[in-house]
């Protein structure tokens, strides 16, 4: 059996996507398809298992675009709306697989989602059953191995600025770090040795902001992590794909929706 993983960038846009409502493309050339960016999410697939990270507002459209009918589990990075607001669409998957959809998340995200989407967690009407089966990441299970189907992964905490914590994930020789402003040594130690790293660079051209990383931060972190290829994600409408690609150092590229990355399942 193949031991490879296929990673698909479902979305690499910022919280508003590109274009923004009303066709505002900012500095992006509308004629370049790679400038059309939905909200941040990835899909990780082995031969037998499909995992999606986050269910943002474009979740349903992203799965339709990729012709995906069911998933085995959802991992959540944090509770910001651009990562969770498509949670209602899990009802379609629940109906299709005829059981609750397993979701993996930390305590803070769980509490927030339960408050905002109580009906997803507990049946509140005669017609609509609860949708999700909750798997909580305990504090002590951070930076530990977890497994869904035949896919192993390691969650780790990331500094998302202003006291926010998001989760990053390592799958084999691939790392995903959306929505981080910086990473501490513990997070870096988990990512060390990945071949490909997808990293938040929402503040690419706007200096080091309060919630997201800028390019010097991603470069500094990767000097320790050592990924051969770094794809930048959570990209705003200010960054045209071709102009950004031309300005980046060797080994760094902007991500784009639909990008496929091949990774290997390793003994983590
Ligand atoms: Zn975000």
């Amino acid at each position: 059996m193949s031991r490879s993983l296929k990673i698909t960038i479902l979305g690499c846009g910022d919280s508003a996507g590109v274009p923004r409502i009303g066709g505002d493309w900012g500095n992006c050339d509308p004629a370049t398809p790679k400038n059309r960016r939905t909200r941040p999410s990835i899909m990780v697939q082995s031969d037998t298992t499909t995992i999606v990270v986050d269910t943002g507002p474009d979740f349903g459209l992203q799965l339709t675009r990729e012709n995906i009918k069911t998933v085995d589990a959802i991992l959540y990075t944090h509770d910001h709306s651009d990562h969770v607001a498509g949670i209602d669409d899990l009802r379609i998957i629940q109906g299709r697989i005829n059981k609750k959809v397993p979701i993996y998340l930390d305590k803070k995200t769980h509490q927030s989602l339960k408050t905002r989407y109580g009906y997803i967690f507990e049946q509140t009407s005669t017609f609509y059953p609860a949708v999700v089966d909750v798997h909580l990441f305990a504090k002590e299970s951070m930076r530990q191995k977890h497994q869904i189907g035949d896919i192993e992964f390691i969650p780790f905490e990331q500094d998302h600025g202003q006291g926010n914590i998001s989760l990053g994930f390592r799958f084999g020789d691939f790392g995903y770090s959306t929505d981080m402003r910086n990473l501490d040594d513990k997070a870096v130690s988990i990512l060390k040795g990945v071949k490909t790293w997808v990293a938040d660079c929402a503040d690419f051209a706007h200096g080091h902001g309060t919630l997201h990383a800028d390019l010097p931060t991603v470069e500094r972190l990767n000097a320790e992590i050592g990924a051969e290829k770094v794809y930048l994600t959570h990209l705003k409408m200010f960054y045209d794909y071709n102009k950004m690609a031309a300005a980046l150092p060797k080994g760094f590229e902007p991500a784009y929706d639909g990008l496929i990355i091949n990774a290997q399942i390793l003994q983590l």
Side-chain angles (χ1 to χ4, degrees):
M1 186 192 274
S2 156
R3 297 297 290 159
S4 63
L5 290 175
K6 177 182 164 191
I7 320 286
T8 306
I9 302 289
L10 295 178
C12 68
D14 74 339
S15 59
V18 184
R20 291 188 184 173
I21 286 176
D24 186 355
W25 289 84
N27 299 330
C28 288
D29 181 353
T32 302
K34 288 176 180 172
N35 279 331
R36 187 174 287 276
R37 301 173 180 134
T38 57
R39 266 53 77 92
S41 176
I42 61 167
M43 176 166 64
V44 182
Q45 294 174 290
S46 68
D47 286 344
T48 56
T49 305
T50 297
I51 298 172
V52 169
V53 180
D54 290 332
T55 59
D58 302 312
F59 172 66
L61 290 173
Q62 290 166 334
L63 262 57
T64 303
R65 186 189 74 208
E66 301 297 333
N67 199 24
I68 299 298
K69 293 185 171 55
T70 66
V71 301
D72 294 291
I74 303 292
L75 307 183
Y76 281 105
T77 58
H78 64 309
D79 73 339
H80 290 169
S81 284
D82 52 329
H83 299 262
V84 305
I87 195 169
D88 276 23
D89 286 336
L90 291 180
R91 190 177 299 285
I92 305 300
I93 292 170
Q94 175 230 21
R96 204 165 271 158
I97 63 178
N98 214 18
K99 66 178 179 98
K100 292 181 188 172
V101 182
I103 66 169
Y104 291 72
L105 67 184
D106 67 12
K107 196 172 157 195
K108 182 174 173 292
T109 302
H110 179 226
Q111 282 172 343
S112 169
L113 292 185
K114 256 195 345 186
T115 305
R116 290 151 67 189
Y117 305 100
Y119 55 92
I120 294 285
F121 292 83
E122 283 182 34
Q123 181 153 4
T124 54
S125 81
T126 324
F127 299 112
Y128 296 113
V131 173
V132 294
D133 184 18
V134 173
H135 298 253
L136 273 186
F137 289 128
K139 202 80 177 157
E140 55 275 15
S141 72
M142 282 296 118
R143 304 192 308 285
Q144 303 294 319
K145 240 192 284 182
H146 297 257
Q147 187 154 357
I148 295 170
D150 64 347
I151 300 180
E152 285 185 351
F153 66 95
I154 300 179
F156 55 90
E157 291 184 321
Q158 307 182 130
D159 170 10
H160 187 13
Q162 296 189 322
N164 293 298
I165 299 290
S166 68
L167 300 185
F169 297 99
R170 176 170 176 158
F171 303 87
D173 62 359
F174 170 84
Y176 186 55
S177 291
T178 192
D179 293 68
M180 60 91 185
R181 185 175 183 271
N182 200 3
L183 298 180
D184 63 12
D185 291 345
K186 292 176 186 168
V188 168
S189 73
I190 296 300
L191 286 169
K192 237 175 210 168
V194 295
K195 202 170 149 207
T196 312
W197 183 37
V198 172
D200 177 0
C201 198
D203 285 332
F204 168 66
H206 288 83
H208 203 179
T210 51
L211 298 175
H212 298 277
D214 58 1
L215 183 60
T217 301
V218 177
E219 284 187 280
R220 173 177 54 77
L221 291 170
N222 196 52
E224 290 184 69
I225 292 165
E228 286 170 27
K229 180 75 85 178
V230 179
Y231 289 104
L232 305 178
T233 192
H234 218 290
L235 302 176
K236 298 176 181 177
M237 67 174 185
F238 308 110
Y239 318 142
D240 177 79
Y241 179 89
N242 288 323
K243 286 184 185 152
M244 192 178 177
L248 288 173
K250 191 171 176 290
F252 286 66
E253 290 181 27
Y256 57 89
D257 285 26
L259 168 68
I260 289 172
I261 298 163
N262 293 310
Q264 295 298 315
I265 297 176
L266 298 178
Q267 267 327 342
L268 293 173

